[in-house]
Amino acid sequence: MRLGINLGYWGLGMDADNIAVAQEADRLGYSVCWAAEAYGSDAATVLSFVAAKTERIDVGSAIFQIPARTPAMTAMTAATLDTLSGGRFRLGLGVSGPQVSEGWYGVKFDKPLARTREYVEIIRKAMSRERLVHEGANWTLPLPGGPGKPIKLTVHPVREHIPLYIAAIGPKNLEQTGEIADGWLGIFFAPEHAALSLDPLKAGRAKAGKSLDGFDLCPTVTIAVGEDIKAGVDSQRSYAALYIGGMGSKEKNFYNQLARRMGYEQEADEIQEKYLAKDYAGAAAAVPHDLIDATSLVGDTARIADRMQAYADAGVTTLTLAPSGFTLDERVQALRTGVEALERAGLA
């Protein structure tokens, strides 16, 4: 099992530290450094900067938002980043949610599965450097009746095939991800509930005539290092409450629905009710200890090693860490503990 690091969003007051964290991850042999985007920093600019400041570690978008860019633009960005980084780019995609898609980008959040499939088809065509012709429900290239002609990408990426990941939570999206992507970007993944994600992914791979062999299962997990388990769990309550309670809309919160599928129906309702009422402290307090502990790495090196073994046994191939600390020292210590725990578990 390999390790990754997720820098999250740029502009949260840790920007200079983010480069130091990426460089330390590079030095320690981490496989990939991911950056995110919502409605603040864009991931492409951050990744180009990280790639310029590192040597070996891959850089990946977790995620590029599908409503933010046309598929051809995403193909151009992917090809450029792969070229600039010397073949170290991984393309992660996701539909975002209704609030961001419609409120920020002005793109209707409808038929996200069909939109994702078509988006990936166009990217694959463009990246293959064939002349781009496509007729679909969302995009027609070239536009009919005008001066546009089929053209092809002029940039030559370092690799013929850039790994493509999709962030998916719901069963149907997971199944499609298994069918059309090279890897999966997961969140709130608990080894004890692995079947919730892996069964649909396997079904999608089977549709494509493939197995999970060679498919990168890449969940992001928060990590809190220390002897005090309760304190480590409590440090992640606000993060969990934000996603389970406040992401998306009341009707379309995929993280809330995942918590419910994991058996936390009443708790998920309470977290969302309090969060949407702006009782953020109450929402954080309502997140079950066991839910955070099951979906995170909390404790000393030995306990984290045991949890890493559970993730590996569940089939995870790249475990991406998101340190819960905010200082550079805390984040670097989490990186180092991750390596020590991986070695202790015999997974390095």
Side-chain angles (χ1 to χ4, degrees):
M1 188 170 69
R2 301 173 295 275
L3 293 179
I5 176 70
N6 195 320
L7 298 179
Y9 305 112
W10 207 259
L12 298 181
M14 303 181 294
D15 299 346
D17 290 352
N18 277 337
I19 292 300
V21 168
Q23 289 172 331
E24 180 65 7
D26 191 20
R27 187 188 72 79
L28 290 170
Y30 275 63
S31 175
V32 58
C33 176
W34 303 95
E37 63 183 21
Y39 45 95
S41 58
D42 75 288
T45 306
V46 172
L47 292 173
S48 64
F49 191 45
V50 172
K53 297 288 186 177
T54 54
E55 297 178 1
R56 295 170 299 278
I57 193 169
D58 282 5
V59 293
S61 55
I63 48 133
F64 282 167
Q65 298 165 306
I66 285 175
R69 302 169 181 82
T70 66
M73 182 70 241
T74 295
M76 290 167 60
T77 303
T80 305
L81 280 167
D82 198 55
T83 303
L84 291 174
S85 66
R88 292 189 283 140
F89 179 64
R90 304 187 194 185
L91 174 59
L93 302 171
V95 292
S96 188
Q99 288 183 329
V100 173
S101 183
E102 299 190 12
W104 188 246
Y105 296 117
V107 175
K108 190 73 175 173
F109 192 81
D110 60 349
K111 300 181 179 178
L113 292 181
R115 183 182 295 272
T116 299
R117 181 181 289 272
E118 192 175 344
Y119 200 89
V120 170
E121 286 176 2
I122 296 171
I123 288 173
R124 298 274 200 211
K125 289 178 183 178
M127 295 297 292
S128 71
R129 301 192 66 252
E130 65 179 79
R131 294 193 179 275
L132 190 53
V133 177
H134 179 85
E135 256 188 66
N138 298 286
W139 294 277
T140 299
L141 301 167
L143 285 174
K149 296 181 179 180
I151 52 181
K152 65 181 181 179
L153 185 69
T154 60
V155 174
H156 292 254
V158 174
R159 295 165 296 170
E160 291 184 3
H161 184 87
I162 293 174
L164 189 150
Y165 296 69
I166 294 175
I169 296 175
K172 292 181 179 179
N173 197 2
L174 284 162
E175 183 173 329
Q176 179 170 275
T177 295
E179 183 183 357
I180 67 175
D182 303 307
W184 167 62
L185 299 174
I187 189 171
F188 296 115
F189 178 81
E192 295 77 12
H193 297 280
L196 291 175
S197 302
L198 298 193
D199 285 355
L201 287 168
K202 289 175 183 176
R205 298 297 285 170
K207 273 188 176 182
K210 301 176 181 178
S211 70
L212 285 178
D213 291 343
F215 186 83
D216 196 9
L217 296 170
C218 184
T220 290
V221 298
T222 52
I223 176 171
V225 180
E227 300 290 338
D228 190 335
I229 305 303
K230 182 180 182 302
V233 167
D234 288 346
S235 72
Q236 301 172 62
R237 287 187 175 279
S238 295
Y239 169 84
L242 167 64
Y243 280 84
I244 298 171
M247 286 290 189
S249 63
K250 183 174 176 59
E251 296 75 24
K252 289 185 178 179
N253 182 324
F254 308 118
Y255 310 97
N256 187 279
Q257 292 165 9
L258 174 59
R260 296 173 67 84
R261 289 196 297 274
M262 293 170 66
Y264 297 101
E265 293 92 346
Q266 292 182 355
E267 294 89 342
D269 285 343
E270 182 181 358
I271 295 165
Q272 186 178 63
E273 180 181 344
K274 289 184 175 180
Y275 200 96
L276 295 180
K278 300 186 187 295
D279 179 8
Y280 304 130
V287 180
H289 175 104
D290 290 346
L291 172 58
I292 295 174
D293 196 22
T295 57
S296 309
L297 301 174
V298 182
D300 59 15
T301 304
R303 191 173 193 269
I304 289 173
D306 287 343
R307 290 302 293 166
M308 282 187 172
Q309 184 65 63
Y311 277 97
D313 291 344
V316 171
T317 47
T318 302
L319 189 64
T320 296
L321 309 184
S324 62
F326 291 100
T327 70
L328 177 58
D329 287 345
E330 288 174 320
R331 298 170 76 197
V332 167
Q333 181 56 48
L335 285 176
R336 293 172 180 169
T337 300
V339 172
E340 292 168 6
L342 194 75
E343 292 173 349
R344 183 173 183 138
L347 298 170

